[in-house]
Amino acid sequence: MSDISVLLPDGSSRSVPTGSTVADLASSIGSRLAKAAVAGTINGTEVDLNAPLSEGNTVSIITADTDLGRHVLRHSTAHVLAQAVVQLFPGAQFSIGPAIEDGFYYDFELPDGKTFSDDDLEAIETRMREIMKADQPFSRSEVSAKEALSLFSQQKYKCEIIERVTSGAADGSDAGEVGDSDTISVYRNSAEFVDLCRGPHVPSTSKLGHFALMKVAGAYWRGNEKGPMLQRIYGTAWESDAALKEHLHRLEEAAKRDHRKLVNELDLLSFPQELGGGLAVWHPKGAIVRKLMEDYSRQRHQDGDYQFVYTPHLANANLFAKSGHLGYYADGMYPPMEMDNGTYYMKPMNCPMHSLVFASRQRSYRELPLRLFELGNVYRYERAGTLHGLMRIRGFTQDDSHIYCTAEQMPGEIASLLDFILSVLRRFGFTDFEFNLSTKDPEKFVGSDEIWEKSTEALRQALDSYGYSYGVKEGDAAFYGPKIDVDVRDAIGRKWQLSTIQLDFNNPERFELEYVGSDGQRHRPIMLHRALFGSIERFFGVLTEHYAGAFPTWLAPEQVRVLPVAAAHNDYAESVVKQLRTHGFRVDIDFADQPLGKRIRDAKTTKIPYVLVVGDSDVAKETVGVNPRGGDVDRDVPLSTFIQNLSQEVAAEEN
């Protein structure tokens, strides 16, 4: 038998016998790789391990401890979940079950309106482990649409998926479920269970097992609120027990840090039902933190030669038609308001109004770059099921900037913005960054392909010139231009997308923006959209979870609380408060109306950086007992020394 030659990711070639599979290649490289392998790629396409190799193929092995490998594990585990449910609940309908970040889910409809209980989840998990122990092989085959409809004749949701795909009506929600419209791929892992799927999957169910079912939630079929309500079982799956335990521990930490709980416990803000979903009111303590964030943002923009503008909360529909929002973003906007002089919408973005500022008079090249800044309130009609505290909200404030510049100025502006973003994020305690370049959605964009290619390349060159490694999110850009997203990792390793730089050649075209160049001719400016926090509300929520509510001293709404031991010490405690406030610190007093121990516990519960306890000796010596958050008590500290130390701490945090 002759050999064939294949290329490996490092550029080297390897000879394997004709008829070899991806699994055979992994074994030829080493037993450890073969054991860790869950799938592979051939010429960039993900395939099962039993996929055959051909001469000249470029092949890579996907291992379980990679993002791609975990995706395969999770999608395979989702199939086993569906298999367990249909076995335990005869007549159950199963719809879609993708892998998602850190896990997977599957949507079901049980007969007679039955719902899953906690006991049901236990039974399902037990059955899943039995299936995994049985070492059932995943087997892929391709069938015609007619055969597929016959195969899934008792599964109405699967039939709907097949019909949509074969009619060319797939909307992207079926990604990962089926193949193309000529043939449909299915996977079996037992005689009685088959599912639609593009794959790949692990070789057999015994490759799985490090998983946990998490919860049940409601989910509308295809996200349509007028459609059937299904039950969604969420789970998580990993490559090892250690990785699973680490993730579950991270979830426990995340629950403790949940900003929706902390903002209530710390009296920072609330979501009154009377306001409606997705709308918050800020309480005094939360407003202090917000003001500090906004003051810092305003000062940084002032120092960066930005010009401040203000724009209204709503505008005529014609403006949003001109900007393209009505054509591409209407589903995310609040319903229109019919007025005596036209139709109006609450603004979802500030950019159309900033372009009106630019267009208000003739501009010269000497004015460029023109950097406009606004803390602008915007409104987006998020569906009720997607609302999540401050992270997904309907009314919020963007620290929004739009920069109008020449083509020659653009690279320097982008580079400057990257520096600006990182310095701001570091200021608030983030040090671990990731960058992503989002490219054109081929189905949802305005402008020419040439404009998109030019703008995407400009952002790519900016990242390359700085030496930043970055991912590429194909088709993830907004309709008007490509963008760079900056993600951060928080104190427990979660990733948050925060800051954005978006290049826009289309808005200036739609608004016919012009400036007079040094040649005396009219030219079209380039527009950069940029948000540092993303939104004040979401950034505040991320900060709250990052610090678990224990904000750094410079940002804490209450930096110091003074506790007199007894009523006899109230006057001295008030004098301590007065001196601290004179130095600009945020300080309160808790008079001796309750036992000292309870007052100390209350202060610690509200995560105040410093609690000062004053008694007889402190009155006599003008000292304080310093009880720092997370530190040891230090008694008889001269008040002047404490003030000096606190001033130095805040100054260091602010720099």
Side-chain angles (χ1 to χ4, degrees), residues 32-54:
R32 292 180 61 182
L33 180 62
K35 184 177 181 181
V38 292
T41 68
I42 297 178
N43 300 330
T45 300
E46 293 175 34
V47 296
D48 297 313
L49 283 175
N50 63 3
L53 302 177
S54 299

Side-chain angles (χ1 to χ4, degrees), residues 421-437:
I421 285 171
L422 296 186
S423 69
V424 169
L425 295 178
R426 290 187 179 107
R427 174 70 175 79
F428 285 89
F430 298 109
T431 57
D432 189 352
F433 308 112
E434 290 186 16
F435 302 87
N436 288 291
L437 174 64

Side-chain angles (χ1 to χ4, degrees), residues 275-316:
L275 276 182
L279 300 169
V281 292
W282 293 72
H283 300 188
K285 288 184 178 180
I288 288 173
V289 181
R290 175 171 179 155
K291 181 179 182 299
L292 290 167
M293 293 168 57
E294 292 180 349
D295 288 348
Y296 172 77
S297 179
R298 287 189 180 96
Q299 188 60 54
R300 287 297 308 271
H301 284 89
Q302 182 174 315
D303 295 342
D305 293 327
Y306 285 76
Q307 299 184 46
F308 290 31
V309 297
Y310 295 92
T311 60
H313 293 231
L314 75 169
N316 192 285

Side-chain angles (χ1 to χ4, degrees), residues 21 43 202 290 318 332 425 602:
T21 64
N43 300 330
V202 295
R290 175 171 179 155
N318 293 332
L425 295 178
D602 288 346

Side-chain angles (χ1 to χ4, degrees), residues 1-8 12-30 33 41-42 49-61:
M1 180 182 294
S2 61
D3 287 351
I4 59 172
S5 178
V6 297
L7 294 175
L8 301 181
S12 64
S13 61
R14 192 171 189 89
S15 294
V16 293
T18 299
S20 293
T21 64
V22 175
D24 294 330
L25 173 64
S27 296
S28 74
I29 295 173
L33 180 62
T41 68
I42 297 178
L49 283 175
N50 63 3
L53 302 177
S54 299
E55 175 69 30
N57 285 160
T58 298
V59 188
S60 66
I61 309 299

Side-chain angles (χ1 to χ4, degrees), residues 234 461 543 594:
Y234 283 98
Q461 288 178 5
L543 275 181
Q594 298 187 54

